[in-house]
PDB file of all heavy atoms in Angstrom:
ATOM      1  N   THR A 907    -101.539 -53.898  55.825  1.00  0.00           N
ATOM      2  CA  THR A 907    -102.042 -54.685  56.947  1.00  0.00           C
ATOM      3  C   THR A 907    -101.368 -54.307  58.262  1.00  0.00           C
ATOM      4  O   THR A 907    -101.859 -54.651  59.332  1.00  0.00           O
ATOM      5  CB  THR A 907    -101.812 -56.179  56.684  1.00  0.00           C
ATOM      6  OG1 THR A 907    -100.414 -56.405  56.450  1.00  0.00           O
ATOM      7  CG2 THR A 907    -102.593 -56.640  55.457  1.00  0.00           C
ATOM      8  N   PHE A 908    -100.240 -53.579  58.155  1.00  0.00           N
ATOM      9  CA  PHE A 908     -99.468 -53.242  59.341  1.00  0.00           C
ATOM     10  C   PHE A 908     -98.658 -51.997  59.016  1.00  0.00           C
ATOM     11  O   PHE A 908     -98.028 -51.923  57.963  1.00  0.00           O
ATOM     12  CB  PHE A 908     -98.541 -54.415  59.693  1.00  0.00           C
ATOM     13  CG  PHE A 908     -97.966 -54.384  61.070  1.00  0.00           C
ATOM     14  CD1 PHE A 908     -98.757 -54.610  62.177  1.00  0.00           C
ATOM     15  CD2 PHE A 908     -96.617 -54.132  61.266  1.00  0.00           C
ATOM     16  CE1 PHE A 908     -98.216 -54.603  63.459  1.00  0.00           C
ATOM     17  CE2 PHE A 908     -96.068 -54.121  62.533  1.00  0.00           C
ATOM     18  CZ  PHE A 908     -96.873 -54.360  63.638  1.00  0.00           C
ATOM     19  N   THR A 909     -98.680 -51.018  59.891  1.00  0.00           N
ATOM     20  CA  THR A 909     -97.993 -49.757  59.638  1.00  0.00           C
ATOM     21  C   THR A 909     -97.238 -49.329  60.885  1.00  0.00           C
ATOM     22  O   THR A 909     -97.778 -49.398  61.995  1.00  0.00           O
ATOM     23  CB  THR A 909     -98.987 -48.653  59.245  1.00  0.00           C
ATOM     24  OG1 THR A 909     -99.625 -49.009  58.014  1.00  0.00           O
ATOM     25  CG2 THR A 909     -98.288 -47.322  59.057  1.00  0.00           C
ATOM     26  N   THR A 910     -95.989 -48.894  60.706  1.00  0.00           N
ATOM     27  CA  THR A 910     -95.201 -48.404  61.833  1.00  0.00           C
ATOM     28  C   THR A 910     -94.711 -46.997  61.549  1.00  0.00           C
ATOM     29  O   THR A 910     -94.361 -46.653  60.412  1.00  0.00           O
ATOM     30  CB  THR A 910     -93.977 -49.310  62.099  1.00  0.00           C
ATOM     31  OG1 THR A 910     -93.052 -49.209  61.014  1.00  0.00           O
ATOM     32  CG2 THR A 910     -94.405 -50.760  62.277  1.00  0.00           C
ATOM     33  N   ARG A 911     -94.707 -46.167  62.590  1.00  0.00           N
ATOM     34  CA  ARG A 911     -94.176 -44.811  62.527  1.00  0.00           C
ATOM     35  C   ARG A 911     -93.263 -44.624  63.726  1.00  0.00           C
ATOM     36  O   ARG A 911     -93.696 -44.749  64.884  1.00  0.00           O
ATOM     37  CB  ARG A 911     -95.295 -43.765  62.589  1.00  0.00           C
ATOM     38  CG  ARG A 911     -96.385 -43.917  61.532  1.00  0.00           C
ATOM     39  CD  ARG A 911     -95.904 -43.457  60.164  1.00  0.00           C
ATOM     40  NE  ARG A 911     -97.002 -43.416  59.205  1.00  0.00           N
ATOM     41  CZ  ARG A 911     -97.343 -44.425  58.415  1.00  0.00           C
ATOM     42  NH1 ARG A 911     -96.656 -45.554  58.474  1.00  0.00           N
ATOM     43  NH2 ARG A 911     -98.341 -44.315  57.560  1.00  0.00           N
ATOM     44  N   GLY A 912     -91.997 -44.339  63.476  1.00  0.00           N
ATOM     45  CA  GLY A 912     -91.043 -44.143  64.559  1.00  0.00           C
ATOM     46  C   GLY A 912     -90.342 -42.810  64.437  1.00  0.00           C
ATOM     47  O   GLY A 912     -89.963 -42.388  63.340  1.00  0.00           O
ATOM     48  N   THR A 913     -90.152 -42.151  65.564  1.00  0.00           N
ATOM     49  CA  THR A 913     -89.458 -40.862  65.594  1.00  0.00           C
ATOM     50  C   THR A 913     -88.512 -40.844  66.784  1.00  0.00           C
ATOM     51  O   THR A 913     -88.889 -41.228  67.895  1.00  0.00           O
ATOM     52  CB  THR A 913     -90.441 -39.692  65.724  1.00  0.00           C
ATOM     53  OG1 THR A 913     -91.338 -39.697  64.615  1.00  0.00           O
ATOM     54  CG2 THR A 913     -89.704 -38.366  65.755  1.00  0.00           C
ATOM     55  N   SER A 914     -87.282 -40.412  66.541  1.00  0.00           N
ATOM     56  CA  SER A 914     -86.302 -40.272  67.611  1.00  0.00           C
ATOM     57  C   SER A 914     -85.670 -38.894  67.512  1.00  0.00           C
ATOM     58  O   SER A 914     -85.109 -38.533  66.477  1.00  0.00           O
ATOM     59  CB  SER A 914     -85.224 -41.362  67.499  1.00  0.00           C
ATOM     60  OG  SER A 914     -84.303 -41.272  68.571  1.00  0.00           O
ATOM     61  N   THR A 915     -85.785 -38.123  68.592  1.00  0.00           N
ATOM     62  CA  THR A 915     -85.234 -36.767  68.635  1.00  0.00           C
ATOM     63  C   THR A 915     -84.181 -36.709  69.730  1.00  0.00           C
ATOM     64  O   THR A 915     -84.398 -37.201  70.839  1.00  0.00           O
ATOM     65  CB  THR A 915     -86.329 -35.734  68.920  1.00  0.00           C
ATOM     66  OG1 THR A 915     -87.371 -35.872  67.941  1.00  0.00           O
ATOM     67  CG2 THR A 915     -85.778 -34.322  68.859  1.00  0.00           C
ATOM     68  N   ARG A 916     -83.035 -36.105  69.414  1.00  0.00           N
ATOM     69  CA  ARG A 916     -81.932 -36.017  70.376  1.00  0.00           C
ATOM     70  C   ARG A 916     -81.401 -34.597  70.435  1.00  0.00           C
ATOM     71  O   ARG A 916     -81.219 -33.942  69.408  1.00  0.00           O
ATOM     72  CB  ARG A 916     -80.799 -36.982  69.988  1.00  0.00           C
ATOM     73  CG  ARG A 916     -81.200 -38.440  70.071  1.00  0.00           C
ATOM     74  CD  ARG A 916     -80.069 -39.362  69.624  1.00  0.00           C
ATOM     75  NE  ARG A 916     -80.534 -40.742  69.621  1.00  0.00           N
ATOM     76  CZ  ARG A 916     -80.069 -41.715  70.402  1.00  0.00           C
ATOM     77  NH1 ARG A 916     -79.107 -41.452  71.274  1.00  0.00           N
ATOM     78  NH2 ARG A 916     -80.537 -42.933  70.341  1.00  0.00           N
ATOM     79  N   TYR A 917     -81.122 -34.171  71.662  1.00  0.00           N
ATOM     80  CA  TYR A 917     -80.457 -32.900  71.925  1.00  0.00           C
ATOM     81  C   TYR A 917     -79.151 -33.242  72.645  1.00  0.00           C
ATOM     82  O   TYR A 917     -79.159 -33.988  73.630  1.00  0.00           O
ATOM     83  CB  TYR A 917     -81.313 -31.999  72.811  1.00  0.00           C
ATOM     84  CG  TYR A 917     -82.746 -31.846  72.326  1.00  0.00           C
ATOM     85  CD1 TYR A 917     -83.738 -32.753  72.730  1.00  0.00           C
ATOM     86  CD2 TYR A 917     -83.111 -30.803  71.487  1.00  0.00           C
ATOM     87  CE1 TYR A 917     -85.047 -32.619  72.299  1.00  0.00           C
ATOM     88  CE2 TYR A 917     -84.426 -30.658  71.053  1.00  0.00           C
ATOM     89  CZ  TYR A 917     -85.384 -31.569  71.464  1.00  0.00           C
ATOM     90  OH  TYR A 917     -86.682 -31.432  71.036  1.00  0.00           O
ATOM     91  N   ASP A 918     -78.025 -32.716  72.173  1.00  0.00           N
ATOM     92  CA  ASP A 918     -76.761 -33.122  72.772  1.00  0.00           C
ATOM     93  C   ASP A 918     -75.784 -31.958  72.872  1.00  0.00           C
ATOM     94  O   ASP A 918     -75.802 -31.034  72.054  1.00  0.00           O
ATOM     95  CB  ASP A 918     -76.131 -34.263  71.967  1.00  0.00           C
ATOM     96  CG  ASP A 918     -75.874 -33.897  70.519  1.00  0.00           C
ATOM     97  OD1 ASP A 918     -74.801 -33.344  70.217  1.00  0.00           O
ATOM     98  OD2 ASP A 918     -76.761 -34.166  69.672  1.00  0.00           O
ATOM     99  N   TYR A 919     -74.962 -32.045  73.889  1.00  0.00           N
ATOM    100  CA  TYR A 919     -73.880 -31.075  74.092  1.00  0.00           C
ATOM    101  C   TYR A 919     -72.646 -31.836  74.528  1.00  0.00           C
ATOM    102  O   TYR A 919     -72.722 -32.776  75.339  1.00  0.00           O
ATOM    103  CB  TYR A 919     -74.248 -30.047  75.164  1.00  0.00           C
ATOM    104  CG  TYR A 919     -73.064 -29.223  75.618  1.00  0.00           C
ATOM    105  CD1 TYR A 919     -72.536 -28.213  74.810  1.00  0.00           C
ATOM    106  CD2 TYR A 919     -72.450 -29.483  76.846  1.00  0.00           C
ATOM    107  CE1 TYR A 919     -71.426 -27.471  75.218  1.00  0.00           C
ATOM    108  CE2 TYR A 919     -71.349 -28.741  77.262  1.00  0.00           C
ATOM    109  CZ  TYR A 919     -70.844 -27.741  76.438  1.00  0.00           C
ATOM    110  OH  TYR A 919     -69.745 -27.008  76.838  1.00  0.00           O
ATOM    111  N   GLN A 920     -71.484 -31.444  73.983  1.00  0.00           N
ATOM    112  CA  GLN A 920     -70.225 -32.080  74.359  1.00  0.00           C
ATOM    113  C   GLN A 920     -69.121 -31.042  74.397  1.00  0.00           C
ATOM    114  O   GLN A 920     -69.052 -30.158  73.537  1.00  0.00           O
ATOM    115  CB  GLN A 920     -69.857 -33.181  73.361  1.00  0.00           C
ATOM    116  CG  GLN A 920     -68.538 -33.890  73.687  1.00  0.00           C
ATOM    117  CD  GLN A 920     -68.301 -35.108  72.819  1.00  0.00           C
ATOM    118  OE1 GLN A 920     -69.194 -35.931  72.630  1.00  0.00           O
ATOM    119  NE2 GLN A 920     -67.095 -35.233  72.293  1.00  0.00           N
ATOM    120  N   THR A 921     -68.260 -31.160  75.399  1.00  0.00           N
ATOM    121  CA  THR A 921     -67.089 -30.295  75.490  1.00  0.00           C
ATOM    122  C   THR A 921     -65.858 -31.142  75.750  1.00  0.00           C
ATOM    123  O   THR A 921     -65.905 -32.122  76.511  1.00  0.00           O
ATOM    124  CB  THR A 921     -67.261 -29.245  76.603  1.00  0.00           C
ATOM    125  OG1 THR A 921     -66.100 -28.401  76.633  1.00  0.00           O
ATOM    126  CG2 THR A 921     -67.456 -29.876  77.962  1.00  0.00           C
ATOM    127  N   ASP A 922     -64.760 -30.791  75.078  1.00  0.00           N
ATOM    128  CA  ASP A 922     -63.487 -31.491  75.222  1.00  0.00           C
ATOM    129  C   ASP A 922     -62.406 -30.477  75.586  1.00  0.00           C
ATOM    130  O   ASP A 922     -62.326 -29.391  74.988  1.00  0.00           O
ATOM    131  CB  ASP A 922     -63.090 -32.184  73.915  1.00  0.00           C
ATOM    132  CG  ASP A 922     -64.150 -33.148  73.421  1.00  0.00           C
ATOM    133  OD1 ASP A 922     -64.411 -34.135  74.120  1.00  0.00           O
ATOM    134  OD2 ASP A 922     -64.712 -32.909  72.334  1.00  0.00           O
ATOM    135  N   PHE A 923     -61.583 -30.851  76.541  1.00  0.00           N
ATOM    136  CA  PHE A 923     -60.494 -29.963  76.960  1.00  0.00           C
ATOM    137  C   PHE A 923     -59.193 -30.746  76.956  1.00  0.00           C
ATOM    138  O   PHE A 923     -59.081 -31.802  77.581  1.00  0.00           O
ATOM    139  CB  PHE A 923     -60.757 -29.395  78.357  1.00  0.00           C
ATOM    140  CG  PHE A 923     -59.698 -28.440  78.816  1.00  0.00           C
ATOM    141  CD1 PHE A 923     -59.593 -27.169  78.267  1.00  0.00           C
ATOM    142  CD2 PHE A 923     -58.794 -28.810  79.801  1.00  0.00           C
ATOM    143  CE1 PHE A 923     -58.606 -26.288  78.678  1.00  0.00           C
ATOM    144  CE2 PHE A 923     -57.805 -27.939  80.230  1.00  0.00           C
ATOM    145  CZ  PHE A 923     -57.713 -26.671  79.660  1.00  0.00           C
ATOM    146  N   ARG A 924     -58.193 -30.234  76.211  1.00  0.00           N
ATOM    147  CA  ARG A 924     -56.893 -30.893  76.101  1.00  0.00           C
ATOM    148  C   ARG A 924     -55.844 -30.083  76.850  1.00  0.00           C
ATOM    149  O   ARG A 924     -55.796 -28.850  76.751  1.00  0.00           O
ATOM    150  CB  ARG A 924     -56.478 -31.036  74.639  1.00  0.00           C
ATOM    151  CG  ARG A 924     -55.042 -31.551  74.452  1.00  0.00           C
ATOM    152  CD  ARG A 924     -54.651 -31.605  72.997  1.00  0.00           C
ATOM    153  NE  ARG A 924     -55.305 -32.714  72.343  1.00  0.00           N
ATOM    154  CZ  ARG A 924     -54.852 -33.971  72.345  1.00  0.00           C
ATOM    155  NH1 ARG A 924     -53.726 -34.268  73.013  1.00  0.00           N
ATOM    156  NH2 ARG A 924     -55.485 -34.925  71.720  1.00  0.00           N
ATOM    157  N   ILE A 925     -54.995 -30.786  77.582  1.00  0.00           N
ATOM    158  CA  ILE A 925     -53.875 -30.159  78.270  1.00  0.00           C
ATOM    159  C   ILE A 925     -52.661 -31.073  78.172  1.00  0.00           C
ATOM    160  O   ILE A 925     -52.786 -32.301  78.290  1.00  0.00           O
ATOM    161  CB  ILE A 925     -54.222 -29.853  79.752  1.00  0.00           C
ATOM    162  CG1 ILE A 925     -53.063 -29.112  80.411  1.00  0.00           C
ATOM    163  CG2 ILE A 925     -54.573 -31.117  80.504  1.00  0.00           C
ATOM    164  CD1 ILE A 925     -53.395 -28.611  81.803  1.00  0.00           C
ATOM    165  N   ASP A 926     -51.501 -30.494  77.917  1.00  0.00           N
ATOM    166  CA  ASP A 926     -50.260 -31.252  77.836  1.00  0.00           C
ATOM    167  C   ASP A 926     -49.395 -30.962  79.059  1.00  0.00           C
ATOM    168  O   ASP A 926     -49.309 -29.817  79.513  1.00  0.00           O
ATOM    169  CB  ASP A 926     -49.486 -30.881  76.571  1.00  0.00           C
ATOM    170  CG  ASP A 926     -50.260 -31.212  75.303  1.00  0.00           C
ATOM    171  OD1 ASP A 926     -50.966 -32.239  75.297  1.00  0.00           O
ATOM    172  OD2 ASP A 926     -50.172 -30.434  74.329  1.00  0.00           O
ATOM    173  N   THR A 927     -48.786 -32.017  79.577  1.00  0.00           N
ATOM    174  CA  THR A 927     -47.884 -31.881  80.733  1.00  0.00           C
ATOM    175  C   THR A 927     -46.557 -32.549  80.398  1.00  0.00           C
ATOM    176  O   THR A 927     -46.301 -33.684  80.814  1.00  0.00           O
ATOM    177  CB  THR A 927     -48.512 -32.512  81.989  1.00  0.00           C
ATOM    178  OG1 THR A 927     -48.826 -33.894  81.712  1.00  0.00           O
ATOM    179  CG2 THR A 927     -49.790 -31.781  82.383  1.00  0.00           C
ATOM    180  N   PRO A 928     -45.694 -31.871  79.635  1.00  0.00           N
ATOM    181  CA  PRO A 928     -44.424 -32.482  79.202  1.00  0.00           C
ATOM    182  C   PRO A 928     -43.555 -32.955  80.352  1.00  0.00           C
ATOM    183  O   PRO A 928     -42.834 -33.950  80.223  1.00  0.00           O
ATOM    184  CB  PRO A 928     -43.751 -31.348  78.420  1.00  0.00           C
ATOM    185  CG  PRO A 928     -44.865 -30.436  78.014  1.00  0.00           C
ATOM    186  CD  PRO A 928     -45.869 -30.504  79.117  1.00  0.00           C
ATOM    187  N   SER A 929     -43.622 -32.264  81.464  1.00  0.00           N
ATOM    188  CA  SER A 929     -42.779 -32.649  82.598  1.00  0.00           C
ATOM    189  C   SER A 929     -43.297 -33.873  83.333  1.00  0.00           C
ATOM    190  O   SER A 929     -42.596 -34.448  84.160  1.00  0.00           O
ATOM    191  CB  SER A 929     -42.674 -31.469  83.577  1.00  0.00           C
ATOM    192  OG  SER A 929     -43.958 -31.114  84.066  1.00  0.00           O
ATOM    193  N   LEU A 930     -44.521 -34.275  83.036  1.00  0.00           N
ATOM    194  CA  LEU A 930     -45.127 -35.429  83.686  1.00  0.00           C
ATOM    195  C   LEU A 930     -45.237 -36.565  82.668  1.00  0.00           C
ATOM    196  O   LEU A 930     -46.265 -36.777  82.037  1.00  0.00           O
ATOM    197  CB  LEU A 930     -46.506 -35.083  84.257  1.00  0.00           C
ATOM    198  CG  LEU A 930     -47.240 -36.198  85.023  1.00  0.00           C
ATOM    199  CD1 LEU A 930     -46.432 -36.655  86.229  1.00  0.00           C
ATOM    200  CD2 LEU A 930     -48.621 -35.724  85.443  1.00  0.00           C
ATOM    201  N   ALA A 931     -44.142 -37.280  82.483  1.00  0.00           N
ATOM    202  CA  ALA A 931     -44.076 -38.433  81.574  1.00  0.00           C
ATOM    203  C   ALA A 931     -44.491 -38.068  80.156  1.00  0.00           C
ATOM    204  O   ALA A 931     -44.983 -38.920  79.409  1.00  0.00           O
ATOM    205  CB  ALA A 931     -44.954 -39.571  82.105  1.00  0.00           C
ATOM    206  N   GLY A 932     -44.300 -36.788  79.787  1.00  0.00           N
ATOM    207  CA  GLY A 932     -44.660 -36.353  78.441  1.00  0.00           C
ATOM    208  C   GLY A 932     -46.118 -36.574  78.128  1.00  0.00           C
ATOM    209  O   GLY A 932     -46.479 -36.868  76.981  1.00  0.00           O
ATOM    210  N   ALA A 933     -46.983 -36.417  79.129  1.00  0.00           N
ATOM    211  CA  ALA A 933     -48.381 -36.811  79.001  1.00  0.00           C
ATOM    212  C   ALA A 933     -49.213 -35.764  78.279  1.00  0.00           C
ATOM    213  O   ALA A 933     -48.969 -34.559  78.357  1.00  0.00           O
ATOM    214  CB  ALA A 933     -48.977 -37.087  80.382  1.00  0.00           C
ATOM    215  N   SER A 934     -50.220 -36.262  77.563  1.00  0.00           N
ATOM    216  CA  SER A 934     -51.252 -35.435  76.944  1.00  0.00           C
ATOM    217  C   SER A 934     -52.595 -35.932  77.450  1.00  0.00           C
ATOM    218  O   SER A 934     -52.885 -37.134  77.389  1.00  0.00           O
ATOM    219  CB  SER A 934     -51.174 -35.532  75.423  1.00  0.00           C
ATOM    220  OG  SER A 934     -52.198 -34.781  74.823  1.00  0.00           O
ATOM    221  N   HIS A 935     -53.432 -35.012  77.962  1.00  0.00           N
ATOM    222  CA  HIS A 935     -54.697 -35.376  78.594  1.00  0.00           C
ATOM    223  C   HIS A 935     -55.858 -34.774  77.816  1.00  0.00           C
ATOM    224  O   HIS A 935     -55.784 -33.633  77.345  1.00  0.00           O
ATOM    225  CB  HIS A 935     -54.761 -34.862  80.035  1.00  0.00           C
ATOM    226  CG  HIS A 935     -53.516 -35.099  80.829  1.00  0.00           C
ATOM    227  ND1 HIS A 935     -53.384 -36.143  81.712  1.00  0.00           N
ATOM    228  CD2 HIS A 935     -52.333 -34.405  80.876  1.00  0.00           C
ATOM    229  CE1 HIS A 935     -52.183 -36.094  82.271  1.00  0.00           C
ATOM    230  NE2 HIS A 935     -51.525 -35.043  81.774  1.00  0.00           N
ATOM    231  N   VAL A 936     -56.955 -35.522  77.706  1.00  0.00           N
ATOM    232  CA  VAL A 936     -58.191 -35.007  77.124  1.00  0.00           C
ATOM    233  C   VAL A 936     -59.333 -35.350  78.075  1.00  0.00           C
ATOM    234  O   VAL A 936     -59.548 -36.523  78.406  1.00  0.00           O
ATOM    235  CB  VAL A 936     -58.476 -35.604  75.732  1.00  0.00           C
ATOM    236  CG1 VAL A 936     -59.794 -35.040  75.186  1.00  0.00           C
ATOM    237  CG2 VAL A 936     -57.338 -35.312  74.771  1.00  0.00           C
ATOM    238  N   PHE A 937     -60.054 -34.319  78.509  1.00  0.00           N
ATOM    239  CA  PHE A 937     -61.210 -34.484  79.382  1.00  0.00           C
ATOM    240  C   PHE A 937     -62.471 -34.193  78.566  1.00  0.00           C
ATOM    241  O   PHE A 937     -62.557 -33.162  77.890  1.00  0.00           O
ATOM    242  CB  PHE A 937     -61.139 -33.538  80.577  1.00  0.00           C
ATOM    243  CG  PHE A 937     -59.921 -33.723  81.438  1.00  0.00           C
ATOM    244  CD1 PHE A 937     -58.741 -33.048  81.149  1.00  0.00           C
ATOM    245  CD2 PHE A 937     -59.950 -34.580  82.529  1.00  0.00           C
ATOM    246  CE1 PHE A 937     -57.616 -33.210  81.937  1.00  0.00           C
ATOM    247  CE2 PHE A 937     -58.829 -34.749  83.325  1.00  0.00           C
ATOM    248  CZ  PHE A 937     -57.654 -34.071  83.029  1.00  0.00           C
ATOM    249  N   THR A 938     -63.440 -35.089  78.636  1.00  0.00           N
ATOM    250  CA  THR A 938     -64.669 -34.953  77.858  1.00  0.00           C
ATOM    251  C   THR A 938     -65.880 -35.047  78.782  1.00  0.00           C
ATOM    252  O   THR A 938     -65.957 -35.952  79.626  1.00  0.00           O
ATOM    253  CB  THR A 938     -64.776 -36.050  76.783  1.00  0.00           C
ATOM    254  OG1 THR A 938     -63.690 -35.917  75.870  1.00  0.00           O
ATOM    255  CG2 THR A 938     -66.083 -35.941  76.018  1.00  0.00           C
ATOM    256  N   LEU A 939     -66.793 -34.124  78.610  1.00  0.00           N
ATOM    257  CA  LEU A 939     -68.089 -34.170  79.280  1.00  0.00           C
ATOM    258  C   LEU A 939     -69.176 -34.044  78.225  1.00  0.00           C
ATOM    259  O   LEU A 939     -69.062 -33.231  77.302  1.00  0.00           O
ATOM    260  CB  LEU A 939     -68.226 -33.046  80.307  1.00  0.00           C
ATOM    261  CG  LEU A 939     -67.285 -33.083  81.509  1.00  0.00           C
ATOM    262  CD1 LEU A 939     -67.473 -31.830  82.364  1.00  0.00           C
ATOM    263  CD2 LEU A 939     -67.538 -34.335  82.353  1.00  0.00           C
ATOM    264  N   ALA A 940     -70.225 -34.863  78.341  1.00  0.00           N
ATOM    265  CA  ALA A 940     -71.307 -34.836  77.358  1.00  0.00           C
ATOM    266  C   ALA A 940     -72.636 -35.061  78.055  1.00  0.00           C
ATOM    267  O   ALA A 940     -72.723 -35.792  79.047  1.00  0.00           O
ATOM    268  CB  ALA A 940     -71.088 -35.899  76.286  1.00  0.00           C
ATOM    269  N   ALA A 941     -73.673 -34.424  77.512  1.00  0.00           N
ATOM    270  CA  ALA A 941     -75.041 -34.609  78.001  1.00  0.00           C
ATOM    271  C   ALA A 941     -75.949 -34.789  76.797  1.00  0.00           C
ATOM    272  O   ALA A 941     -75.753 -34.162  75.745  1.00  0.00           O
ATOM    273  CB  ALA A 941     -75.488 -33.415  78.829  1.00  0.00           C
ATOM    274  N   GLU A 942     -76.936 -35.664  76.960  1.00  0.00           N
ATOM    275  CA  GLU A 942     -77.815 -35.985  75.838  1.00  0.00           C
ATOM    276  C   GLU A 942     -79.235 -36.226  76.341  1.00  0.00           C
ATOM    277  O   GLU A 942     -79.446 -36.901  77.350  1.00  0.00           O
ATOM    278  CB  GLU A 942     -77.308 -37.235  75.122  1.00  0.00           C
ATOM    279  CG  GLU A 942     -78.184 -37.738  74.000  1.00  0.00           C
ATOM    280  CD  GLU A 942     -77.692 -39.066  73.458  1.00  0.00           C
ATOM    281  OE1 GLU A 942     -77.930 -40.094  74.130  1.00  0.00           O
ATOM    282  OE2 GLU A 942     -77.062 -39.071  72.393  1.00  0.00           O
ATOM    283  N   ARG A 943     -80.193 -35.702  75.619  1.00  0.00           N
ATOM    284  CA  ARG A 943     -81.608 -35.929  75.894  1.00  0.00           C
ATOM    285  C   ARG A 943     -82.211 -36.637  74.689  1.00  0.00           C
ATOM    286  O   ARG A 943     -82.109 -36.154  73.557  1.00  0.00           O
ATOM    287  CB  ARG A 943     -82.328 -34.604  76.136  1.00  0.00           C
ATOM    288  CG  ARG A 943     -83.839 -34.698  76.272  1.00  0.00           C
ATOM    289  CD  ARG A 943     -84.248 -35.317  77.593  1.00  0.00           C
ATOM    290  NE  ARG A 943     -85.689 -35.247  77.802  1.00  0.00           N
ATOM    291  CZ  ARG A 943     -86.324 -35.753  78.853  1.00  0.00           C
ATOM    292  NH1 ARG A 943     -85.615 -36.364  79.811  1.00  0.00           N
ATOM    293  NH2 ARG A 943     -87.618 -35.653  78.986  1.00  0.00           N
ATOM    294  N   LYS A 944     -82.812 -37.811  74.904  1.00  0.00           N
ATOM    295  CA  LYS A 944     -83.387 -38.595  73.813  1.00  0.00           C
ATOM    296  C   LYS A 944     -84.881 -38.773  74.049  1.00  0.00           C
ATOM    297  O   LYS A 944     -85.317 -39.120  75.151  1.00  0.00           O
ATOM    298  CB  LYS A 944     -82.711 -39.966  73.726  1.00  0.00           C
ATOM    299  CG  LYS A 944     -83.263 -40.851  72.621  1.00  0.00           C
ATOM    300  CD  LYS A 944     -82.541 -42.183  72.546  1.00  0.00           C
ATOM    301  CE  LYS A 944     -82.926 -43.097  73.687  1.00  0.00           C
ATOM    302  NZ  LYS A 944     -82.483 -44.500  73.470  1.00  0.00           N
ATOM    303  N   GLU A 945     -85.669 -38.524  72.983  1.00  0.00           N
ATOM    304  CA  GLU A 945     -87.119 -38.690  73.042  1.00  0.00           C
ATOM    305  C   GLU A 945     -87.537 -39.620  71.912  1.00  0.00           C
ATOM    306  O   GLU A 945     -87.411 -39.280  70.734  1.00  0.00           O
ATOM    307  CB  GLU A 945     -87.815 -37.333  72.914  1.00  0.00           C
ATOM    308  CG  GLU A 945     -87.432 -36.346  74.021  1.00  0.00           C
ATOM    309  CD  GLU A 945     -87.971 -34.944  73.776  1.00  0.00           C
ATOM    310  OE1 GLU A 945     -88.585 -34.725  72.695  1.00  0.00           O
ATOM    311  OE2 GLU A 945     -87.773 -34.073  74.639  1.00  0.00           O
TER     312      GLU A 945
END
């Protein structure tokens, strides 16, 4: 009596960059950028 059809397609890219700065409060940094297309 009732029918549903669902489709979800995703394209994604992600990059992560880590850098350590021991002289700066012993800090560890991670920078992340991501892009995604959803249909």
Side-chain angles (χ1 to χ4, degrees):
T907 57
F908 196 71
T909 297
T910 67
R911 305 285 188 269
T913 300
S914 183
T915 305
R916 295 178 184 244
Y917 310 88
D918 59 87
Y919 167 75
Q920 180 171 314
T921 181
D922 303 296
F923 182 72
R924 172 183 286 276
I925 184 172
D926 298 324
T927 57
S929 60
L930 182 60
S934 178
H935 315 261
V936 179
F937 301 88
T938 298
L939 295 175
E942 176 187 77
R943 173 73 172 178
K944 179 178 74 167
E945 300 172 356

